[in-house]
Amino acid sequence: MTSTAGRLAREKQKQGGLGSKNNAVKFAQQDYEMLRQQCLTSGRLFEDDTFPAGPMSLGFKELGPYSHRTRGVEWKRPKDLCSNPTFINNGATRTDICQGSLGDCWLLAAIASLTLDQRILARVVPPGQSFTEGYAGIFHFQFWQFGEWVDVVVDDRLPIRDGMLLFVHSAEGSEFWSALLEKAYAKVNGCYESLSGGSTIEGFEDFTGGIAEIYTLAKAPPNFFQLIRRALKLGSLLGCAIDIANQSQSETYTPLKLVKGHAYSVTGAEEVNYRGSTTQLVRIRNPWGQVEWTGPWSDGSSEWKYIDQAEKSKLNHVSDDGEFWMSFQDFSKQFTSVDICNLTPDTILSDDVGHWNHYQFDGMWRVGSTAGGCRNYAATFPSNPQFVVCLEDVDDDPLDGEDGCTFLVGLMQKGIRRQQRLAREMETIGFAIYKVPDEYKGRKNVHLGPDVLLRQRAVAMSGSFINLREVCGRFKLPPGEYAIVPSTFEPHKNGSFLLRVFTEKQADTSPLEEDIKADVKETAISENDVDPHFKNIFRQIAGNDMEVSAFELQRILNNVVSHKSDLKTDGFSLETVRLIISLMDRDESSKLGLIEFHSLWDKIQKYLKIFRNHDQDNSGTMSSHEMRGAAIQAGFQINSAVLQAIVSRYADAQYAIDFDSFVGCLIKVEMLFKMFKALEHSGKIQLDMQQWLCLAIY
C-alpha cells in the first residue's frame, strides 16, 4: 500500500512539472547545491554514502567483491592522481573519451556523439563545475530516465588500479568530466558492472530524451546516405556496429581493422570531389581512441592525395585519434546496423531544426489484470493497456510521394539494468496498432474489448517481439484514429513501461480507459412486499431480536455456499461479513433487519448469476482477467488502475477469484462509491486525519 501511495504521489508531482527539463528529479533525494554548500561550510570534501567508494558500487559478479578483476582496486580523487586536474579542458570533445576495462563501449560511443553539440552536452553536463572555484569534491549530471530528467550527484572518488583509472578516462589523463559522467551513470543503474554490454541507442536516449530507430544496412532505403546527412544536420545522434554470430567473435578484428560487436559513433557525412566525380563519405569514431579502419579513405590512404587541400581541411582530416573516414559504399558493406536517435524540442530549441511532436505515457503490466500477452493469447490479450492516437493532417513533403501521416512509436521497459543484480532478465516486448471502429471514434473513455481486437487484423506492428529495453517502429498510415496495444509476448509478466509517440504533425493522443462510475439500481421495498415464506425463514435464523448479527450472517452464508457444488470457496470471513453489514445496515445497529437482509439476499443472488456467467471453464472460480466485465455487469465501471488494486487484494496465487472474494470485492467497491458520493465536492473529497482513519478502518 505504501508503494502504491508513493507511486500516486510521484504521478501528482509529475503533473506539477517535476521531472521536466527545467525541474529535474533529485536522484536519491540529493540536492547538489545544498550538499555542496554544506561541504564548503564544513571544509570537508563530499563523500556519497548512497554510492560508496567500495565493492558494491563496482559490481556483483564479474566485478563483484571476490572477483580477481577487482583485486587491488583503490578509490582516489583526481587531485590525488595528478597535480592539476581539470573538469573540462578547452571544451569537451569526442577525443576526451577512452575506454577502460569495462565493456561499455556502447556508452562511450554515445558520449562521443554527445560532444558534437554543445547544447546537448550542457543538458547532461551542467556548466560551472571545476576543481578550483567552489570545489567540494562533488559533481552532478543530468540524465533522461524513462520519461523524466533526473539530477545525479556523485563524489569524485574514482576506482583506480596501479595508479591508473580503471574505467573511462581522457587521453591526456588530467581531464575528468567523462570519468565522472560514467560514474554518475553507473550510480543511476546500480553499479559499474550494470553498464557492461548494451546498445548505443540506450545512451543516446538517456542523454537526450530522444527516440531511436535501428536500420539494418542490408535493407536500408535507397536514400539512406541523405537520411544520415539530414539526421546529423538536425542534431540527431548516430551509432553503428558490426553484428556478431556468437560471443567468441566479440571485439575481434576484420582484415581492415574494424572491430566486430563494438559500438562506433557516426560523426559526419559529406560528399567530396574525387577524380572528377562525387564520392559519399561517412566519418566514424571508435571510442577506444585507437584502432582505425585501414581501407580506402583511411588516415594516410592514397585517396586523400586527390582531394583539394581546402576541402580536406573542411573535413577535419586528422590521424591516429580513433576517428576515420570511409566511403559510404564500404560503410554499407562493412557495417551491419545504424542507430539514429531523433531528438525532441526539449533537447534542441533552435528554430532551424524541424521537430517531432512528442507524447508519452507511463503504464504497467500486472499479472492477473493488465498483463495480457500478445495476440496469440486471445483470452487475455484485450486486457493489456491501450492508447489512442488521432492522426488528422498528412505529411507536408512525403518522401515516397504518397499522402499519409508519419509517426514513430517506442515501447520501453523500465529499470532493467538496476535489477541485473537480482538476475532479472528483460521481457520480450512489442506492440500492435488497430484501427478504431467508427462507433468508438472520438471516445477516450472506453477500453476496446475482444469484440474489436479479436475481429480485425492489426494495421501495423512493431515487428518481432524482442527482449530489448525499447522497441521502436516508424509508420505511415492514412488519417484516422488508431489504438496502440503494448504487451509482453507471453501473458502473466509483471513490468512497467513507457510508451512514446512522435508525430510529424500535431496529433491527439491519450490512454484508452473507462471513466470510473457506478450505476447500482436498488428497489425500495417495505415489509409488506416481503414474501411470507421468506419472513418465516428470517424469524428462524434471526431469533427473538429479529436481527442478524455478523456471526449469524457468517454462519448463514457459509451454510448456503457449502451446498453449491459448482462454487469453490474458503467461506465468508468475518471481515467480509462485517463489511457486508456495514454496507446494508441502514439504522447503524451493526445488524441486519428483515428489509436489510432481504436486500442483501437479492444482491447475492444477482452476484451469483454474474459469477457463474464469467466462470468460463466451470472451475468454480473466475479468472481475474474477467473481473472488468463482471464489474460492469454488476453496475461498476472501473479502469486498469482500480482493476490492478482489486486483483492484488482479492485474487489467489493462481489469479483466480472465488465466490466469497467476488462478493466481498463488489460490496467493498459499492461502499467506496457511496462514501465518495456522500463526501465529494466537484469530483474530490477532503478529509482530516481523524476522518480518514475512521473511514479507512471502517
Side-chain angles (χ1 to χ4, degrees):
M1 180 62 74
T2 53
S3 62
T4 302
R7 177 173 53 81
L8 294 174
R10 287 193 299 273
E11 289 175 359
K12 189 172 183 179
Q13 290 172 337
K14 287 183 73 171
Q15 292 172 3
L18 185 66
S20 65
K21 65 187 179 78
N22 296 320
N23 188 17
V25 174
K26 293 176 176 58
F27 189 77
Q29 299 181 335
Q30 291 176 299
D31 187 303
Y32 167 73
E33 286 296 343
M34 184 180 72
L35 291 171
R36 191 174 71 91
Q37 286 301 323
Q38 288 175 355
C39 290
L40 291 173
T41 301
S42 65
R44 299 182 62 181
L45 296 179
F46 177 62
E47 294 186 1
D48 186 5
D49 57 4
T50 70
F51 196 65
M56 294 301 291
S57 296
L58 289 176
F60 49 89
K61 190 176 180 181
E62 296 296 323
L63 294 177
Y66 304 106
S67 169
H68 71 279
R69 294 180 59 185
T70 59
R71 290 175 190 162
V73 171
E74 302 177 90
W75 296 75
K76 291 191 175 182
R77 299 184 190 270
K79 289 200 171 189
D80 300 324
L81 299 175
C82 63
S83 59
N84 187 29
T86 58
F87 185 65
I88 296 178
N89 184 24
N90 295 324
T93 67
R94 53 192 179 278
T95 58
D96 295 341
I97 307 145
C98 298
Q99 187 172 356
S101 61
L102 187 63
D104 61 348
C105 59
W106 61 274
L107 176 62
L108 275 64
I111 297 174
S113 293
L114 184 68
T115 64
L116 298 178
D117 192 309
Q118 295 301 308
R119 295 167 297 180
I120 302 177
L121 181 69
R123 162 82 267 177
V124 177
V125 186
Q129 304 184 79
S130 76
F131 287 96
T132 53
E133 184 178 351
Y135 170 71
I138 183 172
F139 294 86
H140 71 131
F141 301 85
Q142 295 194 351
F143 306 116
W144 182 89
Q145 289 286 284
F146 311 113
E148 61 185 19
W149 286 94
V150 296
D151 190 85
V152 186
V153 167
V154 291
D155 63 35
D156 61 349
R157 295 176 295 176
L158 295 168
I160 68 165
R161 184 163 53 196
D162 301 325
M164 303 291 291
L165 285 175
L166 196 59
F167 304 128
V168 168
H169 54 278
S170 67
E172 65 178 37
S174 62
E175 191 173 25
F176 289 92
W177 72 270
S178 58
L180 291 167
L181 171 62
E182 182 191 42
K183 180 176 182 179
Y185 198 64
K187 177 178 177 178
V188 163
N189 287 284
C191 62
Y192 277 97
E193 186 174 350
S194 293
L195 304 185
S196 185
S199 167
T200 307
I201 280 180
E202 191 172 338
F204 284 170
E205 293 185 333
D206 287 353
F207 294 154
T208 67
I211 191 169
E213 301 174 83
I214 302 175
Y215 288 91
T216 301
L217 282 165
K219 301 177 181 178
N223 60 344
F224 193 52
F225 177 81
Q226 285 75 21
L227 194 153
I228 288 177
R229 201 172 182 184
R230 181 173 181 272
L232 287 168
K233 288 181 178 178
L234 290 175
S236 299
L237 304 182
L238 285 79
C240 59
I242 303 171
D243 290 351
I244 56 176
N246 53 64
Q247 197 58 38
S248 65
Q249 295 180 347
S250 179
E251 299 193 349
T252 58
Y253 295 170
T254 70
L256 296 174
K257 296 296 184 182
L258 294 176
V259 187
K260 295 181 180 180
H262 185 61
Y264 291 82
S265 49
V266 181
T267 61
E270 299 290 345
E271 293 180 335
V272 297
N273 185 0
Y274 174 67
R275 289 188 164 185
S277 62
T278 300
T279 297
Q280 296 174 337
L281 301 179
V282 291
R283 188 174 62 205
I284 314 298
R285 165 75 180 159
N286 182 348
W288 285 350
Q290 54 188 349
V291 185
E292 298 184 9
W293 161 255
T294 58
W297 297 100
S298 61
D299 295 348
S301 68
S302 60
E303 287 79 12
W304 291 106
K305 298 176 182 177
Y306 302 96
I307 299 299
D308 178 80
Q309 185 60 43
E311 194 166 27
K312 190 186 298 186
S313 299
K314 185 186 72 172
L315 295 178
N316 190 24
H317 175 240
V318 293
S319 302
D320 300 325
D321 61 351
E323 194 166 45
F324 54 87
W325 290 92
M326 61 193 305
S327 72
F328 180 69
Q329 185 177 15
D330 283 335
F331 173 74
S332 301
K333 291 177 181 177
Q334 297 289 332
F335 284 89
T336 310
S337 61
V338 173
D339 308 331
I340 299 178
C341 183
N342 303 281
L343 303 182
T344 70
D346 276 0
T347 308
I348 294 184
L349 302 175
S350 171
D351 293 334
D352 299 331
V353 177
H355 298 302
W356 294 91
N357 297 290
H358 171 224
Y359 315 90
Q360 65 182 36
F361 305 97
D362 292 303
M364 291 188 292
W365 297 298
R366 287 295 178 264
V367 178
S369 56
T370 58
C374 72
R375 177 63 177 77
N376 295 351
Y377 302 89
T380 54
F381 176 67
S383 303
N384 285 301
Q386 302 171 7
F387 303 85
V388 66
V389 54
C390 304
L391 305 172
E392 295 182 354
D393 300 324
V394 299
D395 302 341
D396 287 333
D397 186 20
L399 294 175
D400 57 7
E402 297 182 5
D403 285 342
C405 306
T406 298
F407 64 106
L408 303 176
V409 178
L411 173 64
M412 178 182 291
Q413 51 187 321
K414 294 185 177 181
I416 299 301
R417 283 194 182 274
R418 289 193 64 84
Q419 298 178 37
Q420 285 181 356
R421 194 186 293 269
L422 304 176
R424 182 181 171 190
E425 300 291 334
M426 285 189 286
E427 299 295 347
T428 303
I429 61 172
F431 56 85
I433 303 176
Y434 292 85
K435 188 170 178 57
V436 175
D438 290 343
E439 61 267 31
Y440 292 110
K441 282 185 177 178
R443 295 181 56 191
K444 298 174 183 177
N445 61 337
V446 296
H447 187 90
L448 302 180
D451 58 321
V452 175
L453 298 181
L454 303 183
R455 293 183 182 178
Q456 63 167 305
R457 295 175 63 87
V459 296
M461 297 190 70
S462 56
S464 299
F465 279 67
I466 191 167
N467 59 336
L468 293 176
R469 183 176 86 149
E470 182 176 46
V471 295
C472 178
R474 179 187 288 255
F475 308 98
K476 187 174 185 180
L477 294 174
E481 292 189 22
Y482 299 92
I484 305 171
V485 184
S487 72
T488 55
F489 181 77
E490 295 180 340
H492 318 308
K493 301 287 186 180
N494 282 323
S496 298
F497 66 85
L498 178 74
L499 183 80
R500 296 188 290 165
V501 180
F502 282 51
T503 61
E504 284 207 1
K505 292 298 191 71
Q506 285 284 345
D508 188 13
T509 64
S510 69
L512 274 175
E513 277 290 6
E514 298 96 330
D515 293 334
I516 299 175
K517 59 185 181 181
D519 183 19
V520 181
K521 295 179 172 59
E522 295 182 344
T523 303
I525 62 170
S526 66
E527 188 171 339
N528 294 331
D529 298 321
V530 179
D531 181 78
H533 179 64
F534 187 91
K535 287 182 182 178
N536 289 332
I537 295 175
F538 180 76
R539 288 191 186 97
Q540 294 173 25
I541 60 178
N544 294 332
D545 64 352
M546 288 296 288
E547 286 195 312
V548 174
S549 68
F551 304 99
E552 291 169 328
L553 181 59
Q554 182 184 29
R555 187 171 60 252
I556 294 165
L557 294 177
N558 287 337
N559 182 54
V560 170
V561 296
S562 67
H563 289 87
K564 296 186 181 297
S565 59
D566 62 337
L567 298 179
K568 283 187 179 179
T569 176
D570 294 328
F572 286 83
S573 67
L574 190 59
E575 178 186 359
T576 299
V577 171
R578 282 175 168 157
L579 188 66
I580 292 172
I581 289 180
S582 295
L583 176 67
M584 308 304 298
D585 178 22
R586 294 166 185 165
D587 59 3
E588 297 189 51
S589 66
S590 297
K591 296 182 179 181
L592 299 184
L594 173 63
I595 303 301
E596 296 163 339
F597 186 80
H598 189 276
S599 297
L600 170 63
W601 196 253
D602 285 346
K603 191 180 294 288
I604 288 178
Q605 295 302 311
K606 172 186 173 183
Y607 290 169
L608 179 60
K609 183 178 179 181
I610 295 172
F611 185 85
R612 284 171 169 159
N613 286 343
H614 287 83
D615 178 11
Q616 298 288 338
D617 58 359
N618 298 315
S619 63
T621 62
M622 187 180 71
S623 166
S624 60
H625 283 276
E626 296 287 345
M627 192 65 205
R628 189 192 299 263
I632 290 174
Q633 196 173 344
F636 307 106
Q637 189 164 284
I638 57 175
N639 63 13
S640 296
V642 176
L643 179 61
Q644 289 170 15
I646 286 173
V647 172
S648 297
R649 174 66 178 82
Y650 292 99
D652 65 16
Q654 286 70 47
Y655 295 93
I657 297 176
D658 59 19
F659 182 64
D660 58 282
S661 296
F662 180 69
V663 172
C665 171
L666 294 183
I667 292 289
K668 180 77 169 182
V669 169
E670 183 176 348
M671 176 180 287
L672 292 172
F673 268 110
K674 288 184 174 179
M675 284 181 174
F676 188 89
K677 196 66 178 176
L679 298 169
E680 68 104 4
H681 176 70
S682 300
K684 296 181 180 180
I685 61 175
Q686 185 173 351
L687 303 171
D688 61 28
M689 181 61 74
Q690 175 183 300
Q691 292 168 328
W692 161 247
L693 289 174
C694 289
L695 281 175
I697 292 171
Y698 190 68

